[in-house]
Amino acid sequence: MTTQSLAEYRLGPVDEIPVGEARAYAVGGEMVAVFRLRDGGLRAVSAVCPHAGGPLADGLADQRVVVCPLHQHAFDLRTGCSTTGAPPITVYPVRVDDDNTIIISGGLP
Amino acid sequence: MHTSKPSERERLVVVGNGMAGARTVEEILQRDPDRYAITMFGEEPHGNYNRIMLSNVLAGVEDEAGIFLNDLQWYADNGITLHAGCKVDKIDRKHKLVHADDGTQTPYDKLIIATGSTAFVPPITGVHRPGRGYHQGVFAFRTLDDTRNMIRYARDHERAVVIGGGLLGLEAARGLQQHVSHVTLIHAMGHLMNTQLDEPAGKTLQASVEKLGIEVICDGLTTEILGKHAVTGVKLKNGRVIDCDVVVLAAGIRANTELATTSGLSVEQGVVVDDQMRVAGETDIYAVGECAQHRGVTYGLVAPLWDQARVLADHITGRNLDAAYHGSQVATKLKVAGVDVAAMGLKEPELDTDETVTFAEPRRGVYQSLIIRDDRLVGATLVGDVRKVAFLMQAFDRGLPLPEERAGLLFDLGGPPAEVSAAEMADDAQVCNCNGVCKGDIVEAVQCGVKSVSGVMDKTRAGKGCGSCKGLVQQIVEWAAGGEVEEDPAASWYVPGVPMPKPELMEAIRTHGLKSVSSVFALLAPGGEEDAKSKMGLASLLKMMWGAEYDDERDARFINDRVHANIQRDGTFSVVPQMKGGVTTPAQLKRIAEVAEKHDVPMVKLTGGQRIDLLGVPKENLPQIWADLDMPSGWAYGKSFRTVKTCVGSDFCRFGVGDSTALGIAIEERYQGLEGPGKMKLAVTGCPRNCAEAYVKDLGVVAIEGGKWEIYVGGAAGAHVRKGDLLATVDSADEVLTLTGRFLQYYRENANWLERTYAFVPRIGIDVVRAIVVDDAEGIADRLDAAVAEHVATYRDPWQERSTPVTPGQFRSSLPLTVLPQVPVREPVAAAQEGRA
């Protein structure tokens, strides 16, 4: 993961994401999928499946992985590594501030 | 559950430490581990082993270690006192004591006799040498020690004779080929395996065995073993002498009843027992396995023994005092000396009215014979080709009605073609045509250490597309692993994340009243962990089970089911308005055209199911497009009832004999949106010309002359092509509607996740499906009808969600793939100098 030009982005209220699902956000020039896990945790990853461009925010997820809805490639939400042999995806640090706003930071252009 | 200290427990003594004795103890421990203080006596100085595998040990394909069922540690772990290598001489019934030859006297409260059987030694001159047991070079084939001695001796000798052409003799002959250069099998009867097989089957088997290099002599009565110090040959009744230096006796077994007889118990052929396996006239003594005689029958196979062990364990632990053994129908399926053999019930017709169906292909060593009485299968003998044995056993056990065309019992008429063998394929031959995986990729995965089929599928993604190559993938994995495929425990599970097969899972869901996917994970998944790949299957199952009561968590749905449209390769969706039975109106067509124009729909296309598809609709436009269409959903997505394709039928067609259009509309109206383990595509066609392609649908209806309708199920014309099986011919459209619902409900309840009807129907067998769905053989028809009616009553058009989204951002775009960005861009609000990355 790169660490240059770290910036923080406020994406909006965490309530925008239903529990267990994800929503996609355009951040800078990138699409980021933010997952709100069933245990309340948040994960942010690149929203585009490197295999054939599938929308990861539309995928089924659990505490560990998201499965791309197009060809069922799976990615670890913490490391970005694929468990099905696809190239890895980018993972972004994500948190919620005191106003329940999603904050994302990371090596975005 | 008893929680008494071992010293306070009732004392159970088991005489016999073979398969029956040990299995019975296992069953008892499983039911109530703390009930008894258990003592076991075994004559052989080992733990207990699988006697059936001795032929593998003899043939050198299995190590001795591999055939042990329970090692000595098992006895210790379960607090069982084992006297191994110790013979019980007498049971003192009056004082409830067991006397053994190691001098011990063991008291019992309950006693189980499981002494099994011993090799039958025919009256042959010279078998025994006075004072030293068997003649040097003569062996019985019964115990592990027999087998060890035989191997040790045979290794240094050249020619073996096996006496006895039954199952055991054939196995011994095949095994001995590993150790000596010439094997002769002598059988006293007219054909091999005469207890199980009729004459032509026995002859076919003989031909196959002879091809393996075993010399077979039938009608050969051995009268003498020749040789003074060591065996030099055997002599037959007709004077013929066969030179040999090893003789193996495999002429059958006799129940070992010596102890029971000495102790004054009731003994005929075996120890006489009642339906609870209690010895006749006794209150606390039982007998189980090959030594027991139940209703005049003694058994020499494993399956009846398992049945007996279960009944005895139920009874003796008080788990089910009504448990009763009613005898076993004997059906065997074996590989005998490398040849597939299956036999059940009668081997020859008994009554003049018995019908016999026979097929023989001698050159290939195939012989099949069925005996049918009053349309029920009462006997079957199969040699060389046992592919249909599963269905035949089911038909035999359950007395199912048989197809009128008897050939269907032996052959898959119109079934899939023979598969390519894994060994024959080239390395670069593409196996998975969806994901472009070659044979070589699969072999490489296996060589890298992945030894289970599902593991290889995960690693290579072979079989993860349409799934039609899964069978071939499995074959290649098995071939590449050289028989060391790891049993994939998950193969029988309904979904990968919850370790239970479907019936068990449904039972647990019902018992605990689990109505949401998350609650199923919390309670039934290992560690309570949710699993993305299991969510869809569980959501479908829970909806089917609970109907309106189902707690619908949207994150458990696949994206198609979240937004009621089919996701496309570019992340857009396709919209298919309902068009019941494929019938539309000018007004509907105009509306669809206007909406397509208004929304710049990139492609308007007819689907394979006779509907209009609007392709390339961005997710965020779905609610508006549905509102503009103002039509119900056409269910072109989801694992659910899709559409009913129809032909013109009787309205305009010159040939139509039934109103297929009206019936198709009625079926679609009734069962629209029904969720299932796989998608369900239907069709109704107005005459056997079959313009609606009903023969290749999950359920297809065909109008035939005389106002009747034929119903076909299990057809497919997708990744698999299969003609459906005729389920029933009925007289009215109402009956079609009822049977359709009942069949779909039966499929919903019993199919595996993603198992389409073309796999489900052949797996269950059309005769079984018909018996249950049409003839109500299990008495569940009313319940199935009610269950499907309940779904019909709760149906709601999902496109109504357009006005009130169920979740925030339900229709928000996830991926503008072409023009970036399509959602408002968030600009950075603060720049940090150092990262937390």
Side-chain angles (χ1 to χ4, degrees):
Chain A
M1 212 177 299
T2 52
T3 51
Q4 85 276 10
S5 69
L6 286 157
E8 287 201 335
Y9 299 80
R10 298 169 66 81
L11 301 191
V14 75
D15 306 342
E16 276 185 0
I17 311 176
V19 172
E21 290 190 44
R23 292 290 178 255
Y25 297 85
V27 185
E30 292 289 309
M31 288 297 290
V32 175
V34 180
F35 289 81
R36 188 177 178 195
L37 306 184
R38 278 210 157 256
D39 69 355
L42 286 183
R43 301 280 184 277
V45 296
S46 157
V48 185
C49 177
H51 168 241
L56 292 181
D58 280 347
L60 280 160
D62 54 32
Q63 293 293 126
R64 259 178 350 101
V65 298
V66 56
V67 182
C68 175
L70 290 193
H71 306 104
Q72 279 68 57
H73 273 294
F75 300 90
D76 191 306
L77 290 169
R78 269 184 198 284
T79 64
C81 291
S82 169
T83 59
T84 51
I89 52 174
T90 311
V91 179
Y92 302 99
V94 61
R95 62 188 167 89
V96 176
D97 74 1
D98 295 341
D99 308 328
N100 268 335
T101 300
I102 304 164
I103 312 280
I104 185 173
S105 53
L108 292 159
Chain B
M1 185 83 53
H2 292 241
T3 51
S4 57
K5 278 182 252 163
S7 58
E8 295 164 356
R9 293 180 194 162
E10 279 187 88
R11 293 160 301 192
L12 173 67
V13 171
V14 182
V15 182
N17 186 31
M19 296 177 74
R23 179 59 168 248
T24 305
V25 169
E26 278 181 33
E27 295 276 348
I28 290 170
L29 293 173
Q30 209 175 51
R31 284 162 181 74
D32 192 347
D34 299 323
R35 168 113 186 197
Y36 288 107
I38 302 174
T39 305
M40 297 185 78
F41 288 89
E43 263 187 63
E44 294 184 56
H46 322 284
N48 76 92
Y49 58 87
N50 185 344
R51 201 177 297 281
I52 298 163
M53 298 299 226
L54 284 179
S55 50
N56 284 355
V57 174
L58 178 62
V61 296
E62 186 107 42
D63 285 339
E64 277 184 18
I67 72 167
F68 277 91
L69 298 169
N70 294 309
D71 57 16
L72 295 174
Q73 191 60 42
W74 175 79
Y75 297 86
D77 291 346
N78 288 288
I80 299 168
T81 310
L82 173 67
H83 297 263
C86 170
K87 186 168 188 278
V88 173
D89 297 322
K90 192 169 167 27
I91 301 160
D92 178 351
R93 289 145 70 208
K94 194 171 162 206
H95 300 101
K96 292 189 143 189
L97 284 175
V98 169
H99 296 267
D101 67 358
D102 60 356
T104 56
Q105 297 179 14
T106 311
Y108 66 83
D109 296 302
K110 302 275 179 192
L111 176 70
I112 296 174
I113 300 172
T115 46
S117 53
T118 45
F120 167 64
V121 181
I124 300 172
T125 312
V127 164
H128 296 283
R129 284 287 117 137
R132 63 162 212 227
Y134 289 123
H135 194 315
Q136 174 91 27
V138 177
F139 302 90
F141 184 27
R142 180 69 195 155
T143 65
L144 184 55
D145 287 336
D146 291 339
T147 311
R148 285 176 179 168
N149 293 337
M150 205 190 309
I151 293 173
R152 204 176 302 131
Y153 192 83
R155 270 201 300 246
D156 302 328
H157 292 80
E158 287 303 314
R159 300 175 65 91
V161 159
V162 176
I163 298 174
L167 190 52
L168 200 63
L170 281 154
E171 294 285 9
R174 182 67 173 148
L176 281 168
Q177 282 192 300
Q178 290 298 313
H179 307 286
V180 298
S181 55
H182 196 268
V183 179
T184 307
L185 180 66
I186 302 176
H187 189 44
M189 310 304 278
H191 63 269
L192 296 179
M193 285 184 76
N194 56 290
T195 339
Q196 293 91 358
L197 305 182
D198 64 8
E199 192 183 340
K203 295 288 183 201
T204 307
L205 177 62
Q206 180 174 342
S208 298
V209 169
E210 283 169 343
K211 264 190 207 161
L212 298 169
I214 296 169
E215 186 186 346
V216 178
I217 300 171
C218 286
D219 286 318
L221 194 66
T222 313
T223 53
E224 192 176 346
I225 291 175
L226 306 172
K228 194 166 178 195
H229 301 294
V231 171
T232 57
V234 300
K235 189 172 183 181
L236 304 186
K237 197 179 176 193
N238 63 9
R240 184 173 167 193
V241 170
I242 297 146
D243 293 337
C244 66
D245 39 31
V246 182
V247 173
V248 173
L249 299 168
I253 52 169
R254 293 290 179 269
N256 187 359
T257 56
E258 195 190 332
L259 171 67
T261 309
T262 319
S263 308
L265 297 175
S266 172
V267 174
E268 291 171 10
Q269 277 176 282
V271 186
V272 180
V273 296
D274 65 13
D275 287 357
Q276 279 71 45
M277 307 311 294
R278 193 175 13 224
V279 176
E282 299 293 323
T283 46
D284 296 315
I285 305 180
Y286 301 82
V288 67
E290 289 177 343
C291 68
Q293 174 185 329
H294 173 262
R295 298 190 189 177
V297 184
T298 53
Y299 295 93
L301 291 165
V302 174
L305 185 164
W306 287 177
D307 296 341
Q308 294 176 356
R310 276 193 291 271
V311 168
L312 177 47
D314 275 345
H315 178 79
I316 209 167
T317 56
R319 271 306 147 94
N320 176 10
L321 291 171
D322 297 331
Y325 178 65
H326 301 295
S328 299
Q329 285 201 322
V330 178
T332 45
K333 175 180 175 274
L334 303 150
K335 221 177 183 63
V336 186
V339 183
D340 283 315
V341 174
M344 61 200 82
L346 301 181
K347 56 172 180 156
E348 266 148 4
E350 287 177 344
L351 309 178
D352 289 345
T353 48
D354 285 352
E355 185 187 338
T356 316
V357 178
T358 309
F359 173 78
E361 204 184 341
R363 207 176 56 79
R364 262 203 322 136
V366 172
Y367 172 82
Q368 300 172 311
S369 159
L370 309 177
I371 301 161
I372 297 163
R373 182 178 298 167
D374 302 329
D375 273 336
R376 300 285 190 272
L377 187 68
V378 292
T381 304
L382 308 172
V383 176
D385 180 354
V386 295
R387 277 175 297 178
K388 294 291 275 185
V389 71
F391 166 67
L392 292 171
M393 277 203 188
Q394 212 164 16
F396 173 72
D397 280 343
R398 302 170 67 163
L400 300 173
L402 303 178
E404 283 196 8
E405 194 180 2
R406 307 297 197 208
L409 288 164
L410 294 175
F411 308 104
D412 286 310
L413 304 173
E419 290 141 344
V420 196
S421 106
E424 288 164 14
M425 290 180 70
D427 255 9
D428 60 353
Q430 186 157 295
V431 175
C432 175
N433 291 325
C434 293
N435 291 324
V437 185
C438 298
K439 176 188 168 188
D441 302 332
I442 295 172
V443 174
E444 193 189 318
V446 174
Q447 284 164 352
C448 290
V450 188
K451 295 259 162 82
S452 74
V453 177
S454 61
V456 170
M457 284 172 58
D458 277 342
K459 173 121 195 210
T460 62
R461 298 203 316 127
K464 294 250 169 183
C466 73
S468 64
C469 62
K470 272 187 204 163
L472 186 54
V473 173
Q474 176 165 2
Q475 283 179 33
I476 296 172
V477 172
E478 282 168 2
W479 173 79
E484 289 185 12
V485 178
E486 280 162 20
E487 186 66 29
D488 177 12
S492 64
W493 302 347
Y494 174 70
V495 287
V498 184
M500 291 181 187
K502 185 167 178 177
E504 207 177 297
L505 175 61
M506 287 175 69
E507 178 66 34
I509 288 171
R510 222 173 274 123
T511 308
H512 299 289
L514 306 176
K515 294 181 181 171
S516 69
V517 171
S518 60
S519 66
V520 172
F521 285 128
L523 207 68
L524 304 179
E529 243 181 81
E530 53 171 355
D531 174 48
K533 288 176 184 168
S534 304
K535 286 186 168 185
M536 234 180 128
L538 290 175
S540 161
L541 185 70
L542 291 172
K543 180 77 205 302
M544 189 269 289
M545 290 177 66
W546 298 109
E549 285 177 64
Y550 163 57
D551 181 0
D552 179 11
E553 294 166 340
R554 290 297 171 115
D555 65 306
R557 293 184 176 201
F558 187 60
I559 186 64
N560 287 4
D561 297 304
R562 287 185 201 162
V563 301
H564 318 295
N566 211 344
I567 192 165
Q568 304 296 321
R569 65 178 304 160
D570 61 352
T572 64
F573 292 82
S574 73
V575 170
V576 179
Q578 188 172 44
M579 209 174 265
K580 291 175 198 163
V583 177
T584 183
T585 61
Q588 188 179 18
L589 285 173
K590 264 193 232 166
R591 175 83 58 82
I592 292 171
E594 279 160 10
V595 171
E597 231 169 38
K598 176 182 166 191
H599 289 268
D600 283 329
V601 171
M603 182 185 253
V604 182
K605 171 142 193 7
L606 298 186
T607 70
Q610 296 180 336
R611 307 294 187 266
I612 292 176
D613 203 352
L614 306 175
L615 290 142
V617 179
K619 196 205 275 177
E620 59 271 28
N621 294 352
L622 290 172
Q624 190 56 50
I625 215 166
W626 296 338
D628 291 344
L629 283 167
D630 196 22
M631 292 172 197
S633 165
W635 290 93
Y637 50 89
K639 306 299 171 201
S640 64
F641 180 103
R642 295 289 181 92
T643 54
V644 185
K645 206 168 168 177
T646 62
C647 67
V648 176
S650 53
D651 278 358
F652 287 90
C653 178
R654 286 179 296 143
F655 303 109
V657 293
D659 190 348
S660 53
T661 309
L663 180 53
I665 292 171
I667 294 175
E668 187 165 342
E669 267 177 353
R670 185 162 172 80
Y671 299 117
Q672 59 189 341
L674 193 68
E675 298 86 358
K679 52 192 173 191
M680 294 164 266
K681 295 179 165 182
L682 287 74
V684 185
T685 201
C687 78
R689 281 174 187 74
N690 189 27
C691 294
E693 295 156 1
Y695 294 121
V696 288
K697 292 293 174 186
D698 292 293
L699 185 141
V701 185
V702 181
I704 57 171
E705 196 47 67
K708 293 178 185 295
W709 300 90
E710 290 178 334
I711 305 174
Y712 290 84
V713 294
H720 283 264
V721 179
R722 180 179 192 271
K723 186 184 180 212
D725 299 317
L726 182 64
L727 178 73
T729 305
V730 298
D731 296 319
S732 69
D734 278 348
E735 286 171 85
V736 174
L737 274 172
T738 306
L739 287 183
T740 299
R742 200 182 294 162
F743 169 77
L744 292 179
Q745 184 64 23
Y746 181 68
Y747 164 67
R748 272 155 48 94
E749 292 183 8
N750 293 284
N752 297 319
W753 175 237
L754 301 184
E755 181 181 38
R756 291 284 300 271
T757 62
Y758 64 73
F760 173 74
V761 171
R763 172 167 70 82
I764 303 290
I766 183 62
D767 303 288
V768 180
V769 174
R770 185 183 303 119
I772 292 166
V773 172
V774 184
D775 305 330
D776 195 14
E778 294 192 346
I780 59 169
D782 288 346
R783 188 186 61 69
L784 292 173
D785 293 348
V788 79
E790 199 180 308
H791 165 85
V792 169
T794 59
Y795 178 74
R796 184 172 179 278
D797 174 22
W799 284 3
Q800 296 302 323
E801 281 177 18
R802 64 188 179 233
S803 46
T804 44
V806 177
T807 55
Q810 184 179 7
F811 298 106
R812 204 170 96 187
S813 173
S814 280
L815 189 61
L817 281 162
T818 44
V819 195
L820 273 170
Q822 289 188 341
V823 286
V825 177
R826 322 272 165 160
E827 295 302 336
V829 290
Q833 294 310 306
E834 285 152 23
R836 294 177 189 81

